[in-house]
Coordinates of all heavy atoms in Angstrom, one line a residue:
M1 N 106.0 82.0 115.8 CA 107.2 82.7 115.6 C 108.2 82.4 116.6 O 107.9 82.4 117.8 CB 106.9 84.2 115.6 CG 108.1 85.1 115.6 SD 107.8 86.9 115.8 CE 106.7 87.2 114.5
R2 N 109.4 82.1 116.2 CA 110.5 81.8 117.1 C 111.1 83.1 117.7 O 111.3 84.1 117.0 CB 111.7 81.2 116.4 CG 111.3 79.8 115.8 CD 111.1 78.8 116.9 NE 110.8 77.5 116.4 CZ 111.0 76.4 117.0 NH1 111.5 76.4 118.2 NH2 110.6 75.3 116.5
R3 N 111.2 83.1 119.0 CA 111.8 84.3 119.7 C 113.2 84.0 120.3 O 113.9 84.9 120.6 CB 110.9 84.7 120.9 CG 109.5 85.2 120.5 CD 109.6 86.7 120.2 NE 108.4 87.2 119.5 CZ 107.5 88.0 120.1 NH1 107.7 88.4 121.3 NH2 106.5 88.4 119.4
G4 N 113.5 82.7 120.4 CA 114.8 82.3 121.0 C 114.7 80.8 121.3 O 113.7 80.2 121.0
E5 N 115.7 80.4 122.0 CA 115.7 79.0 122.4 C 114.6 78.7 123.4 O 114.4 79.3 124.4 CB 117.1 78.6 123.0 CG 117.2 77.1 123.3 CD 118.5 76.7 123.9 OE1 119.5 77.5 123.8 OE2 118.7 75.6 124.4
R6 N 113.7 77.7 123.0 CA 112.6 77.3 123.8 C 111.7 78.5 124.1 O 111.1 78.6 125.2 CB 113.0 76.6 125.0 CG 113.7 75.2 124.7 CD 113.9 74.4 125.9 NE 114.5 73.1 125.5 CZ 114.8 72.1 126.2 NH1 114.4 72.2 127.5 NH2 115.4 71.1 125.8
H7 N 111.6 79.4 123.2 CA 110.8 80.6 123.4 C 110.1 80.9 122.0 O 110.7 81.2 121.0 CB 111.6 81.8 123.8 CG 110.9 83.1 124.1 ND1 111.6 84.2 124.4 CD2 109.6 83.3 124.2 CE1 110.7 85.2 124.7 NE2 109.5 84.7 124.5
V8 N 108.7 80.9 122.0 CA 108.0 81.1 120.8 C 106.9 82.1 121.1 O 106.5 82.4 122.2 CB 107.4 79.8 120.2 CG1 108.5 78.8 119.8 CG2 106.5 79.1 121.2
A9 N 106.3 82.6 120.0 CA 105.1 83.5 120.2 C 104.0 83.0 119.3 O 104.3 82.4 118.2 CB 105.5 84.9 119.8
M10 N 102.8 83.3 119.6 CA 101.6 82.9 118.8 C 100.5 84.0 119.0 O 100.5 84.7 119.9 CB 101.1 81.5 119.3 CG 100.5 81.5 120.7 SD 99.8 80.0 121.2 CE 98.1 80.3 120.9
R11 N 99.7 84.0 118.0 CA 98.5 84.8 118.0 C 97.3 83.8 118.0 O 97.4 82.7 117.6 CB 98.4 85.7 116.8 CG 99.5 86.8 116.8 CD 99.5 87.6 115.6 NE 98.2 88.3 115.4 CZ 97.9 89.0 114.3 NH1 98.8 89.0 113.3 NH2 96.8 89.6 114.2
V12 N 96.2 84.3 118.6 CA 95.0 83.4 118.8 C 93.9 84.0 118.0 O 93.5 85.2 118.2 CB 94.7 83.3 120.3 CG1 93.5 82.4 120.5 CG2 95.9 82.9 121.1
H13 N 93.3 83.2 117.2 CA 92.0 83.5 116.5 C 91.0 82.5 116.8 O 91.2 81.3 116.4 CB 92.2 83.7 115.0 CG 91.0 84.1 114.3 ND1 90.0 83.3 113.8 CD2 90.6 85.4 113.9 CE1 89.1 83.9 113.3 NE2 89.4 85.2 113.3
E14 N 89.9 82.8 117.5 CA 88.9 81.8 117.8 C 87.7 82.1 116.9 O 87.2 83.2 116.8 CB 88.6 81.9 119.3 CG 89.8 81.6 120.1 CD 89.4 81.3 121.6 OE1 88.4 80.7 121.8 OE2 90.2 81.7 122.5
R15 N 87.2 81.0 116.3 CA 86.1 81.1 115.4 C 84.9 81.7 116.1 O 84.6 81.3 117.2 CB 85.7 79.7 114.9 CG 84.6 79.7 113.9 CD 84.3 78.3 113.4 NE 84.3 77.3 114.4 CZ 84.4 76.0 114.2 NH1 84.5 75.6 113.0 NH2 84.3 75.2 115.2
G16 N 84.3 82.7 115.5 CA 83.2 83.4 116.1 C 83.5 84.5 117.0 O 82.6 85.3 117.3
S17 N 84.8 84.6 117.4 CA 85.2 85.7 118.4 C 86.3 86.6 117.8 O 86.5 87.7 118.2 CB 85.7 85.1 119.7 OG 84.7 84.4 120.3
G18 N 87.0 86.1 116.8 CA 88.1 86.9 116.2 C 89.3 86.7 117.1 O 89.5 85.7 117.8
E19 N 90.2 87.7 117.0 CA 91.5 87.5 117.8 C 91.2 87.7 119.2 O 90.5 88.6 119.7 CB 92.5 88.6 117.3 CG 93.9 88.3 117.8 CD 95.0 89.1 117.1 OE1 94.7 90.0 116.4 OE2 96.1 88.7 117.3
T20 N 91.8 86.9 120.0 CA 91.7 86.9 121.5 C 93.0 87.1 122.1 O 94.1 86.9 121.5 CB 90.9 85.7 122.1 OG1 91.7 84.5 121.7 CG2 89.5 85.6 121.5
L21 N 93.1 87.3 123.4 CA 94.3 87.6 124.1 C 95.1 86.3 124.4 O 96.4 86.4 124.5 CB 94.1 88.3 125.4 CG 93.5 89.7 125.3 CD1 93.2 90.4 126.6 CD2 94.4 90.6 124.4
S22 N 94.5 85.2 124.6 CA 95.2 84.0 124.9 C 94.3 82.7 124.7 O 93.1 82.8 124.5 CB 95.6 84.1 126.4 OG 96.5 83.0 126.7
C23 N 95.0 81.6 124.7 CA 94.3 80.3 124.6 C 95.2 79.2 125.2 O 96.3 79.0 124.6 CB 93.9 80.0 123.2 SG 93.3 78.3 122.9
G24 N 94.9 78.7 126.3 CA 95.7 77.7 127.0 C 95.9 76.5 126.2 O 97.0 75.9 126.1
T25 N 94.8 76.0 125.6 CA 94.9 74.8 124.7 C 95.8 75.0 123.5 O 96.7 74.2 123.2 CB 93.5 74.3 124.3 OG1 92.7 74.2 125.4 CG2 93.6 73.1 123.4
G26 N 95.7 76.2 122.9 CA 96.5 76.5 121.8 C 98.0 76.7 122.2 O 98.9 76.2 121.5
A27 N 98.2 77.3 123.3 CA 99.6 77.5 123.8 C 100.2 76.1 124.1 O 101.4 75.9 123.7 CB 99.6 78.4 125.0
A28 N 99.5 75.2 124.6 CA 100.0 73.9 124.9 C 100.3 73.2 123.6 O 101.4 72.5 123.5 CB 99.0 73.1 125.7
A29 N 99.5 73.3 122.6 CA 99.7 72.7 121.3 C 101.0 73.2 120.6 O 101.8 72.5 120.1 CB 98.5 72.8 120.4
V30 N 101.1 74.6 120.7 CA 102.3 75.2 120.1 C 103.6 74.7 120.9 O 104.6 74.5 120.2 CB 102.2 76.7 120.2 CG1 103.5 77.4 119.9 CG2 101.1 77.2 119.2
M31 N 103.5 74.6 122.2 CA 104.7 74.2 122.9 C 105.0 72.8 122.6 O 106.2 72.5 122.3 CB 104.3 74.3 124.4 CG 105.5 73.8 125.3 SD 105.5 72.1 125.7 CE 106.7 72.0 127.0
V32 N 104.1 71.9 122.5 CA 104.4 70.5 122.2 C 104.9 70.4 120.7 O 105.9 69.7 120.5 CB 103.1 69.6 122.3 CG1 103.3 68.2 121.7 CG2 102.7 69.5 123.8
A33 N 104.3 71.1 119.8 CA 104.8 71.0 118.4 C 106.2 71.6 118.3 O 107.1 71.0 117.6 CB 103.8 71.8 117.5
S34 N 106.5 72.7 119.0 CA 107.8 73.3 119.0 C 108.8 72.3 119.6 O 110.0 72.1 119.1 CB 107.8 74.6 119.8 OG 107.0 75.5 119.1
A35 N 108.5 71.7 120.8 CA 109.4 70.8 121.4 C 109.7 69.6 120.5 O 110.9 69.1 120.5 CB 108.8 70.3 122.8
L36 N 108.7 69.1 119.8 CA 108.9 68.0 118.9 C 109.8 68.4 117.7 O 110.8 67.7 117.3 CB 107.6 67.4 118.4 CG 106.8 66.6 119.4 CD1 105.4 66.4 118.9 CD2 107.5 65.2 119.6
A37 N 109.5 69.6 117.2 CA 110.3 70.1 116.0 C 111.8 70.4 116.4 O 112.7 70.2 115.6 CB 109.7 71.4 115.5
D38 N 112.0 70.8 117.7 CA 113.3 71.1 118.2 C 114.1 69.9 118.6 O 115.3 70.0 118.9 CB 113.2 72.1 119.4 CG 112.7 73.4 119.0 OD1 112.7 73.8 117.8 OD2 112.3 74.2 120.0
G39 N 113.4 68.7 118.7 CA 114.1 67.5 119.2 C 114.3 67.6 120.7 O 115.1 66.8 121.2
A40 N 113.5 68.4 121.4 CA 113.7 68.5 122.9 C 113.0 67.3 123.6 O 113.2 67.2 124.8 CB 113.1 69.8 123.3
V41 N 112.2 66.6 122.8 CA 111.4 65.4 123.4 C 111.6 64.3 122.4 O 111.9 64.5 121.2 CB 109.9 65.8 123.6 CG1 109.8 66.8 124.7 CG2 109.3 66.2 122.4
P42 N 111.3 63.1 122.8 CA 111.3 62.0 121.8 C 110.4 62.2 120.6 O 109.3 62.7 120.7 CB 110.9 60.8 122.7 CG 111.2 61.1 124.1 CD 111.0 62.6 124.1
A43 N 110.9 61.8 119.5 CA 110.2 62.1 118.2 C 108.9 61.3 118.1 O 108.0 61.7 117.4 CB 111.1 61.7 117.0
D44 N 108.7 60.2 118.9 CA 107.5 59.5 118.9 C 106.4 60.1 119.8 O 105.3 59.6 119.9 CB 107.7 58.0 119.3 CG 108.2 57.9 120.7 OD1 108.3 58.9 121.5 OD2 108.4 56.7 121.1
G45 N 106.7 61.3 120.4 CA 105.7 62.0 121.2 C 105.5 61.5 122.6 O 104.7 61.9 123.3
T46 N 106.4 60.5 123.0 CA 106.3 60.0 124.4 C 106.8 61.1 125.3 O 107.6 62.0 124.9 CB 107.1 58.7 124.6 OG1 108.5 59.0 124.2 CG2 106.5 57.6 123.8
P47 N 106.4 61.2 126.6 CA 106.8 62.2 127.5 C 108.4 62.3 127.6 O 109.0 61.2 127.5 CB 106.2 61.9 128.8 CG 105.0 61.0 128.4 CD 105.4 60.3 127.2
P48 N 108.9 63.4 127.9 CA 110.3 63.6 128.1 C 110.8 62.9 129.4 O 110.0 62.7 130.3 CB 110.5 65.1 128.1 CG 109.2 65.6 128.6 CD 108.2 64.7 128.1
A49 N 112.1 62.6 129.4 CA 112.7 62.0 130.6 C 112.8 63.0 131.8 O 112.7 62.6 132.9 CB 114.0 61.4 130.3
A50 N 113.0 64.2 131.4 CA 113.1 65.3 132.4 C 112.1 66.4 131.9 O 111.8 66.5 130.7 CB 114.5 65.8 132.5
P51 N 111.7 67.3 132.8 CA 110.7 68.3 132.4 C 111.3 69.2 131.3 O 112.5 69.5 131.3 CB 110.6 69.2 133.7 CG 110.9 68.2 134.8 CD 111.9 67.3 134.3
V52 N 110.5 69.6 130.4 CA 110.9 70.5 129.3 C 110.0 71.7 129.4 O 108.8 71.6 129.4 CB 110.7 69.8 127.9 CG1 110.9 70.8 126.7 CG2 111.6 68.6 127.8
V53 N 110.7 72.9 129.5 CA 110.0 74.2 129.7 C 110.1 75.1 128.5 O 111.3 75.2 127.9 CB 110.5 74.9 130.9 CG1 109.8 76.2 131.2 CG2 110.4 74.0 132.2
Y54 N 109.0 75.7 128.0 CA 109.0 76.6 127.0 C 108.3 77.9 127.4 O 107.4 77.8 128.2 CB 108.3 76.1 125.7 CG 109.2 75.3 124.8 CD1 109.7 74.1 125.1 CD2 109.5 75.9 123.5 CE1 110.5 73.4 124.2 CE2 110.3 75.2 122.6 CZ 110.8 73.9 123.0 OH 111.6 73.2 122.1
R55 N 108.7 79.0 126.9 CA 108.0 80.3 127.1 C 107.2 80.5 125.8 O 107.7 80.4 124.7 CB 109.0 81.4 127.3 CG 108.5 82.8 127.2 CD 107.7 83.4 128.3 NE 108.1 83.1 129.7 CZ 108.9 83.8 130.4 NH1 109.4 85.0 130.0 NH2 109.2 83.4 131.6
V56 N 105.9 80.8 126.0 CA 105.0 81.1 124.8 C 104.4 82.5 125.1 O 103.7 82.7 126.1 CB 103.9 80.0 124.7 CG1 103.0 80.4 123.5 CG2 104.5 78.6 124.5
D57 N 104.7 83.4 124.2 CA 104.2 84.8 124.2 C 102.8 84.8 123.5 O 102.8 84.3 122.4 CB 105.1 85.8 123.6 CG 106.4 85.9 124.3 OD1 106.5 85.5 125.5 OD2 107.4 86.4 123.7
V58 N 101.8 85.3 124.1 CA 100.5 85.6 123.5 C 100.2 87.0 123.7 O 100.8 87.7 124.5 CB 99.4 84.7 124.1 CG1 99.7 83.2 123.9 CG2 99.3 84.9 125.6
P59 N 99.2 87.6 122.9 CA 98.9 89.0 123.1 C 98.6 89.4 124.5 O 98.8 90.6 124.9 CB 97.7 89.2 122.1 CG 97.9 88.2 121.1 CD 98.5 87.0 121.8
G60 N 98.1 88.5 125.3 CA 97.7 88.8 126.7 C 98.8 88.7 127.7 O 98.7 89.0 128.9
G61 N 100.0 88.2 127.3 CA 101.1 88.1 128.2 C 102.0 86.9 127.9 O 102.0 86.3 126.8
E62 N 102.9 86.6 128.9 CA 103.8 85.5 128.7 C 103.4 84.3 129.5 O 102.9 84.4 130.7 CB 105.2 85.9 129.2 CG 105.8 87.1 128.5 CD 107.1 87.5 129.1 OE1 107.4 87.2 130.3 OE2 107.9 88.2 128.4
L63 N 103.5 83.1 128.9 CA 103.1 81.9 129.5 C 104.3 81.0 129.6 O 105.1 80.9 128.7 CB 102.0 81.2 128.7 CG 100.7 82.0 128.5 CD1 99.8 81.3 127.5 CD2 100.0 82.3 129.8
D64 N 104.4 80.2 130.7 CA 105.4 79.2 130.8 C 104.7 77.9 130.8 O 103.8 77.6 131.6 CB 106.2 79.4 132.1 CG 107.1 80.6 132.1 OD1 107.8 80.8 131.1 OD2 107.1 81.3 133.1
L65 N 105.2 77.0 129.9 CA 104.6 75.7 129.8 C 105.7 74.6 130.0 O 106.8 74.7 129.5 CB 104.0 75.5 128.4 CG 102.7 76.3 128.2 CD1 103.0 77.5 127.4 CD2 101.6 75.5 127.7
T66 N 105.3 73.6 130.8 CA 106.2 72.5 131.2 C 105.6 71.2 130.8 O 104.5 70.9 131.2 CB 106.5 72.5 132.7 OG1 107.0 73.8 133.1 CG2 107.5 71.4 133.1
W67 N 106.3 70.4 130.0 CA 105.9 69.1 129.6 C 106.6 68.2 130.6 O 107.9 68.1 130.6 CB 106.3 68.8 128.2 CG 105.7 67.5 127.6 CD1 105.0 66.6 128.3 CD2 105.7 67.1 126.3 NE1 104.6 65.6 127.4 CE2 105.0 65.9 126.1 CE3 106.3 67.6 125.1 CZ2 104.9 65.2 124.9 CZ3 106.2 67.0 123.9 CH2 105.5 65.8 123.8
T68 N 105.9 67.5 131.5 CA 106.5 66.7 132.6 C 106.7 65.2 132.1 O 106.1 64.8 131.2 CB 105.5 66.7 133.8 OG1 104.4 65.8 133.5 CG2 105.1 68.1 134.2
P69 N 107.6 64.6 132.8 CA 107.8 63.1 132.5 C 106.6 62.3 132.7 O 106.5 61.2 132.1 CB 108.9 62.7 133.5 CG 109.7 64.0 133.8 CD 108.6 65.1 133.8
A70 N 105.6 62.8 133.5 CA 104.3 62.0 133.6 C 103.4 62.2 132.4 O 102.4 61.6 132.3 CB 103.6 62.5 134.9
G71 N 103.8 63.1 131.5 CA 103.0 63.3 130.3 C 102.1 64.5 130.3 O 101.4 64.8 129.4
D72 N 102.1 65.2 131.5 CA 101.2 66.4 131.6 C 101.9 67.6 131.0 O 103.1 67.7 131.0 CB 100.9 66.7 133.1 CG 100.2 65.5 133.8 OD1 99.3 65.0 133.2 OD2 100.6 65.2 134.9
V73 N 101.1 68.5 130.5 CA 101.6 69.8 130.1 C 101.0 70.8 131.1 O 99.8 71.0 131.1 CB 101.3 70.2 128.6 CG1 101.7 71.6 128.3 CG2 101.9 69.2 127.7
V74 N 101.8 71.5 131.8 CA 101.4 72.4 132.9 C 101.6 73.8 132.4 O 102.7 74.2 132.0 CB 102.1 72.1 134.2 CG1 101.7 73.1 135.3 CG2 101.9 70.7 134.6
L75 N 100.6 74.7 132.5 CA 100.7 76.1 132.0 C 100.7 77.0 133.3 O 99.8 76.8 134.2 CB 99.5 76.4 131.1 CG 99.3 77.8 130.6 CD1 98.6 77.7 129.2 CD2 98.6 78.7 131.5
T76 N 101.6 77.9 133.3 CA 101.5 79.0 134.3 C 101.7 80.3 133.7 O 102.4 80.5 132.7 CB 102.7 78.8 135.4 OG1 103.9 78.7 134.7 CG2 102.5 77.5 136.1
G77 N 101.0 81.3 134.3 CA 101.1 82.6 133.7 C 100.0 83.5 134.4 O 99.3 83.0 135.2
P78 N 100.0 84.8 134.0 CA 99.0 85.7 134.6 C 97.6 85.4 134.3 O 97.3 84.8 133.2 CB 99.4 87.0 134.1 CG 100.0 86.7 132.8 CD 100.7 85.4 132.9
A79 N 96.7 85.7 135.2 CA 95.3 85.6 134.9 C 94.6 86.9 135.4 O 94.9 87.3 136.5 CB 94.7 84.4 135.6
E80 N 93.8 87.5 134.6 CA 93.0 88.6 135.1 C 91.7 88.7 134.4 O 91.5 88.2 133.2 CB 93.8 89.9 134.8 CG 94.3 90.1 133.5 CD 95.2 91.3 133.4 OE1 94.7 92.4 133.1 OE2 96.4 91.2 133.6
I81 N 90.7 89.2 135.0 CA 89.4 89.4 134.5 C 89.4 90.5 133.5 O 89.8 91.6 133.8 CB 88.3 89.6 135.6 CG1 88.3 88.4 136.5 CG2 87.0 89.9 135.0 CD1 87.4 88.7 137.8
V82 N 89.0 90.2 132.2 CA 88.9 91.2 131.2 C 87.5 91.6 130.8 O 87.3 92.6 130.1 CB 89.7 90.8 129.9 CG1 91.2 90.6 130.3 CG2 89.2 89.5 129.3
A83 N 86.5 90.9 131.3 CA 85.1 91.2 131.0 C 84.3 90.6 132.1 O 84.7 89.7 132.8 CB 84.7 90.7 129.7
E84 N 83.1 91.1 132.3 CA 82.2 90.6 133.3 C 80.8 90.8 132.7 O 80.5 91.8 132.0 CB 82.3 91.4 134.6 CG 81.6 90.8 135.8 CD 82.0 91.5 137.1 OE1 83.2 91.6 137.4 OE2 81.1 92.0 137.8
G85 N 79.9 89.9 133.1 CA 78.5 90.0 132.6 C 77.6 89.2 133.4 O 78.0 88.4 134.2
F86 N 76.3 89.3 133.1 CA 75.2 88.6 133.8 C 74.2 88.1 132.8 O 74.0 88.8 131.7 CB 74.5 89.5 134.9 CG 75.5 89.9 135.9 CD1 76.2 91.1 135.8 CD2 75.7 89.2 137.1 CE1 77.0 91.6 136.8 CE2 76.5 89.6 138.0 CZ 77.2 90.8 137.9
T87 N 73.6 87.0 133.1 CA 72.5 86.5 132.2 C 71.4 85.9 133.0 O 71.7 85.5 134.2 CB 73.1 85.5 131.2 OG1 72.1 85.2 130.2 CG2 73.6 84.2 131.8
T88 N 70.3 85.7 132.5 CA 69.2 85.0 133.1 C 69.0 83.7 132.4 O 68.8 83.7 131.2 CB 67.9 85.8 133.1 OG1 68.1 87.1 133.7 CG2 66.8 85.1 133.8
L89 N 69.0 82.6 133.1 CA 68.8 81.3 132.5 C 67.4 80.9 132.8 O 66.9 81.0 133.9 CB 69.8 80.3 133.1 CG 71.3 80.6 132.8 CD1 72.2 79.6 133.5 CD2 71.6 80.7 131.3
G90 N 66.8 80.3 131.9 CA 65.6 79.8 132.3 C 64.4 79.6 131.7 O 63.4 79.2 131.9

C-alpha cells in the first residue's frame, strides 16, 4: 500500500505461522519492487547511482531501507524480543 513518496506499507504472512510483525527479506523485496515501479532506480535492476531510501511500514514498526550504489539493500529499524523459549537438543 502506498503511503507517500518512497513510503509504502506491507503486511506479512508466513506459511505455517500466519501473520507476523515483520520480515526483513519481504521488506527488502517490497522496497526494490517499489523503487523499480517508481523509476527511482534503473529499469534493468542495476544498482542506483546514488543511495535510494524508502520507508516500509510493517505491523511491528517502521523500517528504513537503503539500496546502495554497491548493490546492497540495508535495513534499519527497531528490534525487540517478542518471545523467548528453551529446548533440549539431542
Side-chain angles (χ1 to χ4, degrees):
M1 168 188 301
R2 296 289 180 159
R3 295 273 169 111
E5 185 176 345
R6 296 191 182 185
H7 186 185
V8 297
M10 64 176 263
R11 291 175 60 188
V12 182
H13 183 274
E14 296 194 40
R15 184 176 47 196
S17 298
E19 190 165 15
T20 60
L21 296 178
S22 190
C23 173
T25 304
V30 165
M31 180 271 190
V32 168
S34 297
L36 286 165
D38 293 346
V41 296
D44 64 1
T46 57
V52 173
V53 180
Y54 272 72
R55 164 79 38 97
V56 179
D57 295 342
V58 294
E62 298 176 341
L63 304 172
D64 290 315
L65 290 102
T66 304
W67 193 350
T68 72
D72 300 316
V73 175
V74 180
L75 180 150
T76 56
E80 52 186 271
I81 297 172
V82 296
E84 192 172 305
F86 298 91
T87 187
T88 302
L89 300 175

